[in-house]
Amino acid sequence: MSEEPMTDCDSAPGNYCSGWIIRELYVDKTLRYAELLTAMSIAGWEFEVSQLVVDDSPRVIMRGVPVTEYGRPRLEQREICAVWEYHSGAWQVGGFGTGSQAIGGGLFLQATTDELVDMVADAPASWAHTSH
């Protein structure tokens, strides 16, 4: 039985995500949340997404590390972090904490989410691409 892919969050069974605050991150393309998540998945990066509340405001943090086929960090690349904060009824990219740094530490370089998507897309794992 083949099903049509969901084209929008609202097309899910029971409209399960309508009204949920996190939905806005997926829908608002200018925030680049879904694009960054997708890029890391396709490029073979290891990543985690954390959701928390700081000073009564929701915050989402996404961290990503380029890894080898054995799950070890690729030390010649940079790890990334993106922060989105919900203020005054809208999501915005966090001014601090969004950027990259050398794996294992070092100088943190602020970046836009557009730049992070490009950084991930330019550093796919060699094993993540298939010739099929």
Side-chain angles (χ1 to χ4, degrees):
M1 168 157 89
S2 115
E3 294 182 21
E4 292 292 316
M6 286 187 245
T7 57
D8 182 81
C9 190
D10 288 332
S11 65
N15 200 16
Y16 76 98
C17 57
S18 181
W20 295 98
I21 197 169
I22 192 73
R23 178 183 184 278
E24 295 175 27
L25 274 177
Y26 284 95
V27 175
D28 187 339
K29 300 298 183 198
T30 64
L31 296 169
R32 302 303 300 267
Y33 175 83
E35 291 80 6
L36 186 56
L37 187 66
T38 300
M40 285 194 285
S41 297
I42 292 171
W45 283 43
E46 183 176 285
F47 61 92
E48 68 180 23
V49 177
S50 303
Q51 299 181 61
L52 56 143
V53 175
V54 178
D55 297 328
D56 294 325
S57 294
R59 183 176 292 179
V60 174
I61 302 168
M62 186 183 303
R63 291 186 167 94
V65 178
V67 294
T68 68
E69 63 270 27
Y70 307 108
R72 295 186 182 102
R74 293 187 297 160
L75 299 177
E76 75 282 1
Q77 299 293 328
R78 298 180 67 80
E79 61 186 323
I80 66 158
C81 181
V83 178
W84 293 270
E85 301 168 337
Y86 192 80
H87 293 290
S88 303
W91 283 101
Q92 55 190 290
V93 177
F96 295 100
T98 298
S100 69
Q101 85 180 77
I103 294 174
L107 180 64
F108 185 83
L109 302 176
Q110 287 187 310
T112 66
T113 50
D114 287 334
E115 292 168 330
L116 295 180
V117 169
D118 290 343
M119 183 182 297
V120 171
D122 290 341
S126 61
W127 52 268
H129 183 263
T130 179
S131 59
H132 298 321

